[in-house]
C-alpha cells in the first residue's frame, strides 16, 4: 500500500484496510497485527522471562530436585523455548506475508478503479490547490497528458461559478466543520474544445503513513444532464409558445380551494392592460347576461357527470366590448374519484363570425354586381357564373356549366401570354390585367380581368375565381383623352402640362435620392423665317423632324416635351456634374443641325440655342427650373446662334473647364504623362512592408502635379475611367513583376477600382489580360472596391467577384464603414481584406467613438476570416492603439508618403535580408 501511495494512487481507505481483515472473518486475524512494534517486543520479552524463570523454578523446586536427568531437562526446556518461539515466529511471518499480499491486491484494485473510473479524479494540495495526481479520465477532459496536469492550479482548470463561495466551503472543510462539499463547475480544456460542465465533489483526507493531508476531488460529467435540462426547458417553452401563439386562453379552476389560474393568452384575449389577470377573477361573471345561465348549467353538468364541456357564448373584455368565444373543458378527479379541478381552453371566435358575415355579404354582392364573376373547379371547369357574365358574353348559365374558359379565347394572345398568366397564379395566387375575349356572337372585346386561386387549408387549389369588366368603350375613350391630355398632336412629344408634371415628379425623386438633373430649353433660331418662307405646313414637317432628331439624341430615361411653337424642353437625369448637361446640350445642338429634306429635295437647316438650369444648384422646383432654363436661353442667344448657356455664368465656366480637363486628360493618357506612386502597407506585428497601394498621379508638363480629386471625377463622368483603369492595372502588374524578377520580397499590390469603372467595364477580363501580359502572380494583386460599388447592383457585383476569385485575385473593401451596404454583403461576397477608413483613425486614441468603431470593424473582420488594414495612420499613438486591438496592417504618413517607383524600390531593397 505504501508503494502505491508513493506512486500517486489516491487514498480512499485507511492504511489498515486489507491488513487486519481475514478474507472470511471480519475480526482481527492476529493480535500482533493489531499492536504496535514496541508493544510486540515487550510482550516477547515478558513471555521469555516467564518461560525462563518459571521453568527454572519448576525444575529447581517443583519437580524432584535430585532427579538425575535434571540437566537434561534444563537443556530440553531451553530447546523447547527455541522451537516454540521459532514456530510462533514462522506463523507470524506467514500471516504477515498473506496480509501484505491482500493489502497489495486491494491497493492495486483501488488504483485500477481510480484510474479507469468514469469520473474524473484528482489529489490536490489543500494549501496551494496544485494537483498532485489526476486519473486518465480527468486528463482526457483537460486535454492534457497526466504528467502535464501535475502542478496545475485546480481552480484555473476546474472553474467554480462562484470562487468566493468555493473558498468559503474549502475553509469549512479544512476546519472540520463539513465533511465534503459539491458544486457545478466548468472543466477548461487545453486543446480548444468547449468547456465541459461537471459536478465536483471535494473531500479531505488527513495525513497518515507518511502521506500529507490532501483533498480528493471527484468530477462527474454533467453535459448530458445539462442537455436534458435544456431539452426540458425548450419543451416547456415550445408548449407555452404554442399555447400563447394559438391565440387561445387556458383556465384551471381548483374546485376545492376555489382558486383560478389563467394563461397569458387569456390576458390578451380579454384585453387586460396588466401582465396578469386580477386575483379572484371568475369568467362566469364576465359572460353576457343572455348566455350566463346556460353556460353555468353546462359547467355544473360537466362537473357532476364528466361529460365534455363545449359551449359558445359572449364574454365581456376589459375595454367594455363583447367577443364571441368557444369554451371547451373537462373535469379532473382525484384518487378517490371526486371532482378536483375543472380546466379548459377559451378560443376567440370573433374573427370567424365576422368572416361568416363577410361571406354572406359577399354572396349578395356577387349576385348583384355589374362585374362578371365566374368560378371554376381545380380542373378549370365552370361551376358558377353570375348574371353579369351571361349578360356580357351572351351565354346562359346552363350553356357554360361544365365548360372551360377556353371557349372565350379571342386568338389575340399567344401561348406565352397564357403561360405567364398561369405562372403568376401558380406563384402568387393571383393575376390581374387586361385581356381580350370573345362573346358568343364572335365579337372580340377587351376586359379588365382579375383571376385568383382558392386554396384549402393544406394549400391545394380547389377553385379559381375570375372577375372581369367590359372596358371596350372606356378603353377607346381613355386612349384618346390620355393622348390629348399628355401629348402634342403635331410632334407626339409631351405637351407643356404633361412635361411639367413629369418634371415635378422627377424633381421630388431627385431631392429624395440626391440625384442631379438638368432642364435644357431648346429655342429654335430663325424658325419664323421658315414659316414665312415655306409656309406653316413645311414648318410643321420641320418641327416633326427636329422632334425625331432630339429624341434620337437623348439617353435612356431622359424626357422631352414641346413648350411652345418653337421651344422644346429636355429633362436630363442621372448627372454627375454640370458638364454632363453641357455635353448633352452640345449633342442636341448637333442633332438639330441635321437638315430636313423636302420631297422636292430642298434642304432646310434650323439652328437652336440651349439654356441650362440645374437641380440642385439653380432651382429646386419644376417651375423654377423651366424659368431658369428660359432665362439662360437669352444668354445662349447673346453668345451667337447655336450656343448653350447655364443659368449661372460661373457654372458655365466650370463646365467648360471640366470639358477642357477631359480633353487634356485624354492627351495625358496617350502621351504618358500619368505615373503610379506606391504607398507602403506595413504588417503591424513584424514592421515589414507586406504590400503597397498603387496611386495614380498626373504630372502635366505645364501645370505640374494635378490632384486626382480633380481629374478622377472628370474621368468617371466622361467614360474615360475605363481606359484609365485598364492602364493602371497593366502598369501595376508590370511593375510588380519587375520587383519579383529583381529578387525583392514578394508584396501585394493594391489597385483601386472606382464604382463607375466596376460597373461600366469588364474588370475581370482586364485583370486577366494584365496578369497574362506581365506574368505577375494573381495572388499578389489586390483590387480595392468601395462599399457603394458592391451595394449598387449586388448580384452583378457578386458575379464579377466570383470571376476574380477564380483568377486568384485578392479583394478588399476600401473605406469600410463609410458606405451604405449592409453587413450581409460581407458574408455574401468573396473578400479578403477590410480597410478602415482614415476618418475613423484620425482622432485615435482620444475619440471614444472612433475607438469603438475601429475595434468593432477589426473584430468583425477577424470573425469573418478577413485581414484588417487601417488607412491614414500618422502617429505612433494611433499605431499602438491599433496594435492593442489586433489590427493586422496599416498604411499612412507615419511610415511613408506615396513614393515614386525609384524611391519605393529603395525601400524594398533596404528591407531585403542581407
Amino acid at each position: 500500500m505504501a508503494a502505491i501511495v508513493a506512486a500517486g494512487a489516491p487514498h480512499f481507505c485507511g492504511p489498515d484496510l486489507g491488513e487486519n481483515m481475514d478474507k472470511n472473518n471480519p475480526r482481527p486475524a492476529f493480535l500482533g497485527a493489531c499492536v504496535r512494534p514496541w508493544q510486540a517486543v515487550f510482550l516477547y520479552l515478558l513471555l521469555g522471562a516467564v518461560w525462563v524463570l518459571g521453568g527454572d523454578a519448576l525444575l529447581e523446586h517443583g519437580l524432584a530436585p535430585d532427579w538425575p536427568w535434571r540437566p537434561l531437562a534444563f537443556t530440553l526446556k531451553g530447546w523447547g523455548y527455541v522451537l516454540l518461539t521459532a514456530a510462533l515466529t514462522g506463523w507470524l511471518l506467514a500471516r504477515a506475508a498473506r496480509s501484505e499480499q491482500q493489502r497489495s491486491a486491494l491497493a492495486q484494485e483501488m488504483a485500477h478503479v481510480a484510474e479507469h473510473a468514469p469520473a474524473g479524479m484528482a489529489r490536490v494540495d489543500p494549501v496551494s490547490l496544485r494537483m498532485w495526481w489526476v486519473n486518465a479520465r480527468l486528463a482526457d477532459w483537460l486535454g492534457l497528458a497526466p504528467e502535464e496536469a501535475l502542478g496545475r492550479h485546480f481552480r484555473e482548470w476546474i472553474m467554480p461559478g462562484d470562487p468566493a463561495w468555493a473558498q468559503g466551503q474549502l475553509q469549512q472543510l479544512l476546519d472540520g466543520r463539513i465533511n465534503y462539499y459539491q458544486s457545478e463547475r466548468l472543466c477548461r480544456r487545453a486543446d480548444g474544445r468547449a468547456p465541459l460542465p461537471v459536478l465536483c465533489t471535494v473531500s479531505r483526507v488527513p495525513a497518515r503513513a507518511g502521506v500529507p493531508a490532501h483533498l480528493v476531488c471527484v468530477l462527474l460529467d454533467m453535459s448530458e444532464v445539462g442537455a436534458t435540462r435544456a431539452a426540458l426547458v425548450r419543451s416547456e417553452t415550445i408548449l407555452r409558445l404554442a399555447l400563447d401563439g394559438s391565440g387561445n386562453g387556458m383556465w384551471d379552476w381548483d374546485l376545492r380551494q376555489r382558486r383560478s389560474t389563467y394563461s397569458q393568452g387569456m390576458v390578451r384575449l380579454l384585453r387586460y392592460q396588466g401582465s396578469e389577470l386580477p386575483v379572484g377573477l371568475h369568467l362566469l361573471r364576465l359572460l353576457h347576461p343572455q348566455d350566463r345561465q346556460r353556460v353555468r348549467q353546462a359547467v355544473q353538468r360537466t362537473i357532476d357527470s364528466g361529460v365534455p364541456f363545449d359551449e359558445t357564448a359572449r364574454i365581456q373584455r376589459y375595454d367594455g366590448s363583447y367577443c364571441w368565444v368557444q369554451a371547451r373543458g373537462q373535469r379532473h378527479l382525484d384518487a378517490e374519484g371526486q371532482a378536483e379541478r375543472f380546466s379548459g381552453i377559451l378560443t376567440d371566435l370573433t374573427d370567424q363570425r365576422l368572416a361568416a358575415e363577410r361571406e354572406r355579404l359577399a354572396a349578395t354582392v356577387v349576385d348583384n354586381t355589374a362585374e362578371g364573376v365566374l368560378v371554376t373547379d381545380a380542373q378549370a371547369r365552370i361551376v358558377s357564373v353570375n348574371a353579369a357574365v351571361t349578360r356580357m358574353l351572351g351565354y346562359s348559365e346552363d350553356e357554360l356549366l361544365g365548360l372551360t374558359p377556353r371557349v372565350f379565347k379571342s386568338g389575340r394572345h399567344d401561348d406565352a401570354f397564357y403561360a405567364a398568366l398561369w405562372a403568376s397564379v401558380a406563384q402568387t395566387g393571383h393575376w390581374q390585367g387586361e385581356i381580350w375575349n370573345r362573346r358568343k356572337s364572335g365579337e372580340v372585346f377587351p376586359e379588365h380581368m382579375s383571376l385568383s386561386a382558392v386554396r384549402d387549408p393544406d394549400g391545394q387549389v380547389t377553385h379559381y375565381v375570375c372577375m372581369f369588366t367590359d372596358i371596350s368603350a372606356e378603353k377607346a375613350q381613355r386612349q384618346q383623352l390620355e393622348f390629348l391630355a399628355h401629348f402634342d398632336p403635331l410632334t407626339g412629344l409631351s405637351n407643356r402640362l404633361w412635361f411639367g408634371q413629369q418634371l415635378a415628379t422627377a424633381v421630388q425623386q431627385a431631392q429624395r435620392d440626391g440625384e442631379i438633373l438638368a432642364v435644357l430649353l431648346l429655342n429654335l433660331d430663325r424658325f419664323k423665317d421658315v414659316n414665312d418662307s415655306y409656309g406653316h405646313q413645311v414648318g410643321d414637317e420641320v418641327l416633326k423632324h427636329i422632334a425625331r432628331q432630339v429624341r434620337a439624341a437623348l439617353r435612356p430615361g431622359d424626357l422631352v416635351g414641346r413648350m411652345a411653337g418653337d421651344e422644346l424642353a429636355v429633362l436630363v437625369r442621372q448627372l454627375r456634374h454640370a458638364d454632363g448637361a453641357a455635353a448633352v446640350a452640345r449633342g442636341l445642338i448637333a442633332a438639330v443641325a441635321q437638315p430636313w429634306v423636302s420631297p422636292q429635295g430642298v434642304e432646310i437647316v434650323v439652328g437652336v440655342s440651349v439654356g441650362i438650369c440645374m437641380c440642385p444648384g439653380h432651382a429646386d422646383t419644376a417651375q423654377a427650373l423651366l424659368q431658369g432654363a428660359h432665362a439662360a436661353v437669352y444668354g445662349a442667344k447673346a453668345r451667337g446662334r447655336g450656343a448653350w448657356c447655364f443659368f449661372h455664368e460661373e457654372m458655365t465656366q466650370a463646365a467648360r473647364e471640366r470639358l477642357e480637363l477631359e480633353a487634356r486628360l485624354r492627351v495625358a493618357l496617350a502621351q504618358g504623362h500619368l505615373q503610379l506612386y506606391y504607398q507602403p502597407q506595413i504588417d503591424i506585428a513584424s514592421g515589414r512592408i507586406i504590400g503597397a497601394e498603387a496611386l495614380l498621379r498626373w504630372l502635366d508638363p505645364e501645370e505640374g502635379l494635378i490632384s486626382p480629386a480633380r481629374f478622377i471625377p472628370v474621368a468617371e463622368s466622361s467614360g474615360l475611367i475605363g481606359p484609365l483603369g485598364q492602364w493602371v492595372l497593366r502598369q501595376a502588374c508590370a511593375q510588380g513583376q519587375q520587383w519579383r524578377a529583381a529578387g525583392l520580397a514578394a508584396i501585394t499590390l493594391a489597385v483601386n477600382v472606382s464604382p463607375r469603372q466596376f460597373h461600366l467595364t469588364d474588370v475581370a477580363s482586364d485583370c486577366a489580360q494584365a496578369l497574362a501580359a506581365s506574368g505577375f502572380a494573381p495572388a499578389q494583386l489586390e483590387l480595392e472596391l468601395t462599399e457603394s460599388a458592391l451595394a449598387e447592383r449586388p448580384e452583378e457585383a457578386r458575379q464579377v467577384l466570383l470571376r476574380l476569385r477564380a483568377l486568384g485575385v485578392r479583394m478588399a473593401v476600401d473605406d469600410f464603414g463609410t458606405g451604405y451596404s449592409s453587413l450581409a454583403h460581407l458574408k455574401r461576397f468573396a473578400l479578403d481584406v477590410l480597410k478602415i477608413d482614415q476618418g475613423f483613425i484620425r482622432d485615435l486614441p482620444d475619440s471614444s467613438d472612433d475607438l469603438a468603431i475601429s475595434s468593432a470593424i477589426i473584430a468583425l473582420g477577424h470573425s469573418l476570416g478577413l485581414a484588417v488594414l487601417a488607412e491614414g495612420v500618422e502617429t505612433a499613438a494611433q499605431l499602438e492603439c491599433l496594435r492593442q486591438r489586433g489590427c493586422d496592417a496599416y498604411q499612412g504618413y507615419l511610415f511613408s508618403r506615396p513614393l515614386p517607383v525609384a524611391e519605393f524600390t529603395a525601400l524594398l531593397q533596404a528591407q531585403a535580408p542581407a
Side-chain angles (χ1 to χ4, degrees):
M1 185 67 176
I4 295 176
V5 171
H11 283 272
F12 295 102
C13 59
D16 297 332
L17 182 61
E19 296 177 352
N20 303 330
M21 293 294 180
D22 184 79
K23 184 182 299 183
N24 300 316
N25 185 2
R27 294 175 297 174
F30 185 70
L31 182 61
C34 301
V35 297
R36 297 180 180 180
W38 67 269
Q39 294 173 333
V41 171
F42 175 77
L43 291 175
Y44 177 78
L45 293 176
L46 180 61
L47 179 61
V50 170
W51 180 274
V52 172
L53 296 177
D56 288 349
L58 182 62
L59 292 176
E60 189 72 31
H61 304 289
L63 298 176
D66 299 329
W67 187 35
W69 301 99
R70 190 172 60 176
L72 179 60
F74 275 99
T75 300
L76 292 176
K77 175 180 73 71
W79 281 107
Y81 180 75
V82 171
L83 292 176
L84 178 62
T85 56
L88 180 60
T89 300
W91 183 80
L92 286 174
L93 289 176
R95 191 68 175 174
R98 190 160 52 251
S99 177
E100 183 63 26
Q101 289 176 356
Q102 292 177 352
R103 178 179 179 182
S104 177
L106 180 60
Q108 291 179 1
E109 180 180 351
M110 295 302 296
H112 182 79
V113 169
E115 188 67 25
H116 300 286
M121 299 182 183
R123 284 201 308 155
V124 179
D125 183 86
V127 178
S128 66
L129 296 184
R130 302 288 176 181
M131 291 184 281
W132 291 352
W133 171 88
V134 298
N135 69 344
R137 179 71 62 178
L138 180 55
D140 178 64
W141 289 350
L142 295 174
L144 300 170
E147 58 273 10
E148 292 177 335
L150 302 183
R152 304 288 182 113
H153 196 281
F154 182 75
R155 285 186 183 167
E156 291 181 1
W157 290 87
I158 313 299
M159 301 176 291
D162 186 350
W165 178 87
Q167 183 61 35
Q169 293 293 104
L170 175 61
Q171 190 60 46
Q172 293 186 53
L173 180 67
L174 296 178
D175 295 344
R177 287 177 284 172
I178 58 175
N179 296 325
Y180 70 94
Y181 66 92
Q182 288 183 335
S183 63
E184 293 187 9
R185 304 191 180 194
L186 288 178
C187 176
R188 190 161 63 91
R189 301 166 184 250
D191 53 8
R193 290 179 294 171
L196 179 71
V198 295
L199 178 64
C200 179
T201 302
V202 181
S203 58
R204 180 178 177 272
V205 177
R208 69 178 78 186
V211 178
H214 57 275
L215 303 177
V216 173
C217 302
V218 181
L219 297 93
L220 297 178
D221 185 350
M222 296 289 290
S223 57
E224 293 186 1
V225 175
T228 302
R229 290 176 180 172
L232 181 58
V233 171
R234 284 196 301 271
S235 177
E236 293 177 349
T237 302
I238 290 172
L239 288 175
R240 184 175 64 256
L241 290 176
L243 182 61
D244 292 344
S246 67
N248 297 331
M250 187 190 74
W251 83 82
D252 186 77
W253 295 346
D254 189 325
L255 299 177
R256 293 179 177 175
Q257 299 185 12
R258 299 187 177 277
R259 291 188 304 183
S260 302
T261 303
Y262 303 99
S263 70
Q264 285 297 314
M266 191 72 76
V267 177
R268 291 190 295 272
L269 189 149
L270 295 179
R271 295 182 181 177
Y272 187 67
Q273 298 300 317
S275 59
E276 294 183 1
L277 291 173
V279 177
L281 171 69
H282 203 291
L283 291 179
L284 294 177
R285 300 192 185 100
L286 300 179
L287 290 172
H288 192 279
Q290 296 178 3
D291 302 328
R292 190 173 301 158
Q293 185 63 29
R294 171 176 52 85
V295 175
R296 285 181 180 274
Q297 292 174 356
V299 169
Q300 192 62 47
R301 185 167 54 253
T302 298
I303 294 175
D304 293 340
S305 64
V307 297
F309 175 76
D310 190 344
E311 292 291 330
T312 300
R314 289 161 291 181
I315 192 168
Q316 188 176 30
R317 295 180 285 209
Y318 276 85
D319 60 2
S321 63
Y322 279 93
C323 66
W324 283 95
V325 295
Q326 181 183 21
R328 290 169 293 179
Q330 62 180 356
R331 72 173 183 179
H332 303 276
L333 304 179
D334 58 13
E336 299 176 355
Q338 299 298 317
E340 181 181 30
R341 290 172 32 250
F342 176 61
S343 63
I345 294 176
L346 211 64
T347 303
D348 191 346
L349 298 180
T350 305
D351 292 341
Q352 296 180 21
R353 296 182 71 88
L354 289 176
E357 180 64 19
R358 285 196 297 268
E359 289 180 2
R360 186 186 65 80
L361 292 175
T364 303
V365 170
V366 167
D367 290 338
N368 296 278
T369 184
E371 291 184 318
V373 179
L374 183 149
V375 181
T376 74
D377 59 16
Q379 289 71 41
R381 291 188 295 267
I382 298 173
V383 297
S384 176
V385 296
N386 69 345
V389 172
T390 63
R391 184 176 63 251
M392 281 188 284
L393 298 179
Y395 293 94
S396 67
E397 183 175 4
D398 292 338
E399 289 178 310
L400 293 177
L401 295 180
L403 300 179
T404 67
R406 285 191 293 271
V407 71
F408 311 134
K409 289 184 66 173
S410 65
R412 297 188 62 168
H413 303 292
D414 56 15
D415 292 340
F417 173 85
Y418 291 105
L421 183 154
W422 286 108
S424 175
V425 173
Q427 183 176 1
T428 66
H430 184 74
W431 181 89
Q432 180 175 313
E434 185 177 304
I435 189 172
W436 290 77
N437 274 331
R438 187 182 303 273
R439 308 184 203 271
K440 184 179 180 180
S441 63
E443 178 189 355
V444 175
F445 69 103
E447 298 175 354
H448 181 78
M449 188 179 82
S450 175
L451 178 63
S452 301
V454 180
R455 301 179 183 273
D456 61 15
D458 296 329
Q460 300 299 317
V461 174
T462 61
H463 295 84
Y464 293 100
V465 177
C466 175
M467 301 179 65
F468 61 90
T469 305
D470 185 348
I471 58 172
S472 302
E474 294 90 331
K475 186 176 180 64
Q477 184 179 11
R478 185 171 62 249
Q479 288 176 347
Q480 181 65 22
L481 290 176
E482 285 180 355
F483 183 83
L484 294 176
H486 297 149
F487 298 98
D488 173 56
L490 176 63
T491 61
L493 302 178
S494 298
N495 59 22
R496 174 186 289 273
L497 179 61
W498 179 232
F499 182 85
Q501 293 175 0
Q502 292 177 300
L503 176 59
T505 301
V507 169
Q508 293 176 358
Q509 294 176 350
Q511 291 173 343
R512 183 181 66 243
D513 302 334
E515 176 188 347
I516 299 176
L517 55 81
V519 171
L520 283 63
L521 192 67
L522 284 64
N523 186 274
L524 302 182
D525 297 330
R526 296 186 300 273
F527 185 70
K528 183 176 183 297
D529 295 340
V530 174
N531 285 328
D532 293 344
S533 301
Y534 300 101
H536 287 279
Q537 184 176 0
V538 172
D540 290 343
E541 293 299 323
V542 173
L543 272 176
K544 289 190 284 186
H545 165 74
I546 292 174
R548 290 191 297 268
Q549 290 296 109
V550 170
R551 275 178 168 171
L554 292 180
R555 309 170 306 165
D558 294 345
L559 302 176
V560 59
R562 186 183 182 190
M563 299 292 102
D566 59 352
E567 282 188 348
L568 305 179
V570 174
L571 170 61
V572 183
R573 308 189 64 173
Q574 300 293 338
L575 293 174
R576 291 182 176 270
H577 303 285
D579 54 345
V584 172
R586 289 190 302 170
L588 291 175
I589 292 173
V592 173
Q594 297 297 318
W596 175 79
V597 181
S598 71
Q600 294 77 26
V602 179
E603 292 188 356
I604 299 177
V605 178
V606 178
V608 65
S609 298
V610 182
I612 307 173
C613 189
M614 303 292 298
C615 175
H618 295 157
D620 55 3
T621 67
Q623 184 64 30
L625 282 169
L626 289 171
Q627 290 176 353
H630 190 270
V633 165
Y634 294 100
K637 287 185 178 293
R639 289 180 171 88
R641 307 294 180 179
W644 53 270
C645 177
F646 280 102
F647 180 61
H648 288 312
E649 180 59 31
E650 58 268 21
M651 293 192 67
T652 305
Q653 184 62 32
R656 287 177 176 169
E657 289 177 359
R658 281 192 289 271
L659 291 173
E660 178 187 356
L661 190 64
E662 174 189 342
R664 290 170 56 195
L665 183 57
R666 294 183 186 275
V667 174
L669 181 60
Q671 296 184 356
H673 296 163
L674 301 176
Q675 299 180 15
L676 287 184
Y677 277 41
Y678 298 88
Q679 185 173 33
Q681 296 176 339
I682 313 302
D683 179 66
I684 292 180
S686 65
R688 295 181 62 82
I689 300 174
I690 59 172
E693 181 177 3
L695 301 170
L696 184 61
R697 297 292 184 264
W698 179 4
L699 189 60
D700 186 77
E702 299 178 1
E703 189 177 346
L705 196 64
I706 299 178
S707 170
R710 283 183 60 194
F711 67 83
I712 291 297
V714 173
E716 290 186 330
S717 62
S718 65
L720 195 58
I721 192 66
L724 206 61
Q726 293 169 350
W727 182 87
V728 171
L729 276 172
R730 291 195 300 269
Q731 289 295 112
C733 291
Q735 184 60 60
Q737 183 60 23
Q738 291 180 19
W739 284 328
R740 289 181 62 193
L744 298 178
I747 62 172
T748 300
L749 289 183
V751 176
N752 288 286
V753 179
S754 78
R756 185 80 171 167
Q757 175 189 356
F758 186 76
H759 292 295
L760 292 183
T761 65
D762 190 349
V763 177
S765 178
D766 294 342
C767 285
Q769 294 176 11
L771 292 169
S774 63
F776 192 52
Q780 291 177 243
L781 177 62
E782 181 178 288
L783 299 186
E784 294 187 1
L785 297 169
T786 61
E787 292 182 78
S788 58
L790 299 176
E792 184 176 350
R793 286 178 286 197
E795 185 55 35
E796 178 182 326
R798 180 174 175 272
Q799 296 301 322
V800 175
L801 262 61
L802 289 175
R803 292 174 59 196
L804 291 168
R805 176 66 68 185
L807 290 175
V809 176
R810 291 166 53 85
M811 301 304 303
V813 176
D814 195 12
D815 301 337
F816 182 75
T818 62
Y820 300 96
S821 63
S822 68
L823 296 180
H825 291 147
L826 295 182
K827 177 181 177 182
R828 185 179 185 189
F829 297 123
L831 302 173
D832 302 285
V833 180
L834 287 185
K835 297 190 71 175
I836 306 176
D837 183 73
Q838 60 182 348
F840 302 129
I841 304 299
R842 186 179 298 113
D843 295 330
L844 292 181
D846 300 324
S847 172
S848 59
D849 291 339
D850 289 345
L851 194 64
I853 293 173
S854 301
S855 301
I857 294 176
I858 293 170
L860 173 65
H862 289 169
S863 68
L864 295 174
L866 308 179
V868 181
L869 184 145
E871 295 179 303
V873 178
E874 298 181 357
T875 67
Q878 294 170 350
L879 178 60
E880 181 59 27
C881 183
L882 293 169
R883 177 184 288 110
Q884 293 177 2
R885 279 149 185 82
C887 186
D888 301 298
Y890 77 98
Q891 67 184 71
Y893 287 359
L894 177 63
F895 187 88
S896 173
R897 295 173 177 269
L899 302 174
V901 172
E903 296 181 27
F904 189 85
T905 303
L907 274 182
L908 292 179
Q909 291 172 343
Q911 179 175 278

